[in-house]
Amino acid sequence: MEEVVLAVDIGGTKTAAALADRHDRLLRTEVAATPAAEGPSAVVATVVALARRLLAGSGLRLSGVGIGTAGVVDAGSGTIVSATDTFTDWPGTPLAALVRAGLHDRLMPDAPVEVQNDVDAHALGEYRHGAAAGAPSALVIAVGTGVGAGLLVRDRPIRGAHHVAGEIAHLPVPGAAHLRCPCGRHGHLEAIGSGIGMHRHFLSLGGDPGISDARGIAIAVTAGDPIARRALDESAAAVGRALAGAATLLDPERIVVTGGVPNIGEDWWRPMRAAFHAEAIDALQRTPILPGTLGDDAPLRGAAASAWRNP
């Protein structure tokens, strides 16, 4: 009988689940809205329902479950440590135990249920199968609605004493003091470097309030809007400075940048790289900074890898 694991990516707006083979290849995928405001029981019920839909009529039993989720995660226990208020009552949720209970009849004996932060799962996917494959160490940063990162060394994720290693979003950066981070403090990278942060910075500069997001700012840049140009440049540069700081501390073999904001293209990559090279010391100037290659599949493939290999 075919061996498969369940890979799950729990985001603030949608939850994706897939069956994956031993090479972390996604065989079938299902997606549903995440009922984040309805509490942990509703979120777990969504995961279980997606799994049962994927397994329906197959007779398969899962060799493991890997989950990437929003929030700070104690990967050892599979419990949510902290989260934003997007997820009602998410902190303290024993996610691994709840999913195991919901799928007990479809799990092989002793099948692992592994839970990690969603960006850590994303990073593991790129490290095993994407732009970071083959590197002894890699820093993978996702820049989208928010900012997150994962650090991997010799095939192992580095999680830190408080489960927050790689939280580059909360590095203080120049030029963000006027902007409030989702953590409640001012001046952090996410406050200016994320898609939402870029837009808030644009509005603070007097930008057109009819432009509603980073994608609109990018369009305005191509149309010659000087405020949009400044907002995009300064947002991207903040990411580059933060990467220079992180590279100085961690010295990764490779840096991979992924997410929706880098998809803006060279208008974003150019000021980001320029800021990195302006700040990084000479020994770090040749550190490769590469775009991710797996897109939305990265967190699912990383979650699958965790289910097979328990990193």
Side-chain angles (χ1 to χ4, degrees):
M1 182 178 290
E2 182 181 14
E3 288 187 291
V4 296
V5 294
L6 177 72
V8 182
D9 178 26
I10 303 174
T13 58
K14 71 175 183 178
T15 295
L19 297 182
D21 67 12
R22 278 198 168 272
H23 301 284
D24 309 328
R25 291 179 297 221
L26 307 181
L27 305 175
R28 294 192 294 280
T29 304
E30 293 280 352
V31 178
T34 302
E38 298 175 28
S41 295
V43 175
V44 171
T46 298
V47 171
V48 171
L50 289 173
R52 293 191 180 280
R53 195 183 307 168
L54 287 165
L55 292 167
S58 68
L60 292 171
R61 298 180 74 189
L62 298 168
S63 296
V65 179
I67 301 172
T69 178
V72 175
V73 177
D74 179 344
S77 66
T79 300
I80 309 300
V81 175
S82 64
T84 67
D85 56 10
T86 299
F87 283 77
T88 300
D89 297 330
W90 202 227
T93 300
L95 186 57
L98 293 174
V99 170
R100 180 181 295 281
L103 291 173
H104 69 279
D105 60 317
R106 300 309 299 260
L107 295 174
M108 296 288 286
D110 301 320
V113 179
E114 299 294 325
V115 182
Q116 61 188 316
N117 170 264
D118 52 357
V119 180
D120 284 347
H122 194 128
L124 183 57
E126 288 286 352
Y127 186 80
R128 291 278 174 80
H129 305 290
S137 61
L139 176 67
V140 182
I141 176 172
V143 186
T145 303
V147 178
L151 173 66
L152 294 111
V153 178
R154 299 191 186 282
D155 212 35
R156 306 289 291 186
I158 305 301
R159 305 199 190 276
H162 304 95
H163 319 293
V164 295
E167 283 287 355
I168 195 172
H170 305 295
L171 287 179
V173 292
H178 61 299
L179 298 167
R180 185 176 183 272
C181 182
C183 75
R185 295 162 180 82
H186 284 73
H188 290 181
L189 173 61
E190 187 164 310
I192 190 170
S194 67
I196 290 175
M198 182 195 299
H199 183 249
R200 289 175 177 167
H201 183 47
F202 171 73
L203 295 178
S204 78
L205 296 174
D208 180 0
I211 294 175
S212 61
D213 56 19
R215 184 182 295 105
I217 293 171
I219 293 170
V221 166
T222 62
D225 184 326
I227 296 179
R229 176 80 271 175
R230 179 181 170 187
L232 193 154
D233 283 353
E234 292 178 353
S235 177
V239 175
R241 291 190 192 98
L243 286 179
T248 303
L249 183 64
L250 304 171
D251 193 14
E253 178 77 18
R254 202 174 298 174
I255 297 172
V256 175
V257 184
T258 185
V261 171
N263 288 339
I264 286 171
E266 278 303 305
D267 280 330
W268 185 88
W269 282 90
R270 191 181 307 109
M272 188 278 288
R273 290 183 189 275
F276 176 89
H277 291 297
E279 299 289 347
I281 62 174
D282 291 349
L284 298 171
Q285 286 292 318
R286 293 190 177 184
T287 302
I289 305 177
L290 307 173
T293 60
L294 299 183
D296 290 343
D297 285 349
L300 287 171
R301 297 194 72 180
S306 71
W308 283 120
R309 287 173 278 268
N310 192 15

